[in-house]
């Protein structure tokens, strides 16, 4: 499935790098989180709006992974491309590609649960947007 896609650019700060100037690996997971939230914003579904509207407690990560292939350094501007690859009744998966210019640096994913109060599946209108505008649950 090819779903919604968005990109963000992030400048690597000094505090995000080690003494050799290479970005710490946990920053990638922070950038994945930022890219996922920005993806929702790009779909006109900012979390501060939809969470109270749908009585969502949050969208916690239930599985995550990454593969690092080239270093990101202090001062680089990274582009994080987030794309939805799967939407199910209560979880969705976002894949991430991290690059500096044309250089691929890392890839990763997040599987997130839709946690509502009371327990509820992803609303169909949100699932539809995440899937890129069409279809129902996978």
């Amino acid at each position: 499935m090819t779903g919604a896609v968005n990109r963000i650019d992030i400048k690597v700060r000094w505090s995000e790098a080690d003494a050799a100037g290479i970005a710490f690996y946990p920053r990638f997971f922070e950038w994945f989180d930022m890219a996922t939230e920005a993806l929702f914003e790009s779909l006109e579904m900012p979390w501060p709006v939809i969470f109270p509207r749908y009585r969502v407690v949050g969208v916690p990560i239930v599985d995550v992974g990454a593969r690092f292939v080239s270093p990101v350094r202090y001062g680089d501007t990274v582009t994080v491309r987030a794309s939805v690859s799967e939407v199910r009744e209560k979880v969705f998966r976002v894949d991430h590609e991290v690059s500096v210019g044309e250089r691929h640096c890392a890839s990763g994913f997040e599987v997130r649960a839709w946690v509502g109060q009371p327990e509820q599946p992803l609303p169909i209108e949100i699932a539809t947007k995440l899937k890129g505008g069409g279809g129902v649950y996978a």
Side-chain angles (χ1 to χ4, degrees):
M1 177 186 120
T2 302
V5 177
N6 192 53
R7 293 171 195 242
I8 62 169
D9 291 327
I10 302 165
K11 183 150 179 125
V12 180
R13 301 169 300 192
W14 176 78
S15 63
E16 297 175 316
D18 63 17
I22 298 172
F24 293 115
Y25 78 89
R27 298 291 72 91
F28 288 79
F29 295 101
E30 181 180 345
W31 301 335
F32 294 169
D33 186 65
M34 293 167 61
T36 297
E37 187 169 356
L39 172 71
F40 272 76
E41 289 172 2
S42 77
L43 297 171
E44 299 179 354
M45 301 187 303
W47 288 351
V49 172
I50 68 169
F51 283 11
R53 178 181 298 154
Y54 294 100
R55 298 184 64 192
V56 175
V57 176
V59 285
I61 294 172
V62 297
D63 193 11
V64 66
R67 183 168 187 272
F68 307 99
V69 296
S70 183
V72 171
R73 300 186 181 281
Y74 166 58
D76 284 345
T77 298
V78 296
T79 298
V80 183
R81 180 182 181 271
S83 60
V84 177
S85 61
E86 184 176 11
V87 179
R88 294 185 181 257
E89 183 178 353
K90 294 183 182 176
V91 298
F92 58 94
R93 178 182 166 125
V94 182
D95 294 320
H96 301 283
E97 295 295 328
V98 179
S99 60
V100 174
E102 296 296 316
R103 180 171 48 92
H104 175 70
C105 299
S107 56
F109 71 92
E110 300 171 309
V111 176
R112 291 179 174 260
W114 180 266
V115 180
Q117 198 59 293
E119 187 176 325
Q120 59 182 305
L122 263 161
I124 193 68
E125 59 272 15
I126 290 176
T128 299
K129 281 188 176 187
L130 288 175
K131 288 183 171 193
V136 293
Y137 299 128

